[in-house]
């Protein structure tokens, strides 16, 4: 089976993508299979820049078709922050918990009605023939206390009013059906299936 490399060292992202793309005639593998690849610096100013940097870097190093995912949590009250800095909101090597706690602190005292946010994922695809990208967005509310133990990152404080649950309170399969990454990868799956060879 032909391989596509998901240019991520985030195991949660990889698992979600493998599950969403499981019916494709390609095997989606992660950077864990290529331990010699150096850390990819996210020097871009936008999610698109960074997703392209990831996909291009891995394509150039490995020569297999590559997907890059850059995701940001954009909070309206904070003018779109943490956005492209979501992974390092509380500092360079911040853990998920540190970033989440910083966001809760920044929103301390802000009423629920003003805590609208969206997750946005840009997925870029690079092979010998083309560079393409797609985007997925999901809207929600940042609640003031973490709920649930599933998911990762900001999931425990990202609340979906229509489900009355956070992303951390639903199984991965359900998250994938409605999430930013799920929507972006669904668009990507259609694009790939219809128009592109992976060679
Ligand atoms: P790679 O760059 O190796 O893909 P990363 O974790 O650094 O992995 P990003 O640069 O896209 O990924 O950083 C986005 C951050 O946003 C990530 O570290 C999480 O904290 C958060 N995040 C991304 N997707 C998420 C999701 O589905 N649910 C909750 N938080 C998410």
């Amino acid at each position: 089976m032909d391989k596509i490399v998901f240019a991520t060292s985030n195991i949660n992202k990889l698992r979600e993508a493998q599950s969403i793309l499981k019916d494709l005639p390609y095997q989606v593998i992660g950077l864990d299979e290529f331990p010699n690849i150096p850390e990819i610096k996210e020097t871009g100013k936008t999610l698109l820049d960074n997703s392209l940097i990831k996909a291009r870097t891995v394509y150039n190093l490995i020569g297999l078709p590559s997907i890059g995912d850059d995701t940001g949590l954009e909070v309206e009250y904070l003018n779109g922050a943490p956005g492209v800095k979501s992974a390092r909101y509380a500092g360079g090597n911040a853990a998920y918990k540190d970033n989440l706690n910083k966001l809760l602190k920044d929103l301390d005292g802000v009423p629920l009605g003003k805590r609208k946010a969206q997750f946005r994922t840009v997925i870029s695809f690079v092979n010998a023939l083309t560079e393409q990208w797609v985007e997925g967005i999901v809207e929600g509310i940042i609640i003031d206390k973490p709920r649930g133990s599933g998911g990762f990152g900001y999931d425990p404080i990202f609340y979906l009013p229509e489900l009355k649950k956070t992303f951390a309170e639903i199984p991965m399969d359900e998250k994938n059906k409605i999430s930013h990454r799920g929507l972006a990868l669904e668009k990507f799956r259609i694009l790939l299936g219809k128009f592109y060879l992976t060679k």
Side-chain angles (χ1 to χ4, degrees), residues 6-10 13 16 31 42 47 54 69-73 83-84 86-88 96 99 119 121 152-155 167 175 179-181:
F6 197 108
T8 185
S9 32
N10 182 325
K13 280 188 182 180
E16 289 183 2
L31 289 186
E42 298 184 26
L47 298 177
K54 293 176 204 184
D69 166 320
D70 206 45
T71 297
L73 176 61
V84 73
S86 293
R88 45 188 191 283
Y96 288 149
N99 289 329
F119 270 120
T121 289
F152 67 99
Y154 297 94
D155 280 344
F167 266 153
K175 178 184 171 189
S179 78
H180 45 301
R181 184 164 300 102

Side-chain angles (χ1 to χ4, degrees), residues 20-33:
I20 294 161
L21 301 176
K22 62 178 180 288
D23 59 338
L24 280 181
Y26 308 107
Q27 188 190 354
V28 178
I29 57 176
L31 289 186
D32 51 322
E33 301 212 6

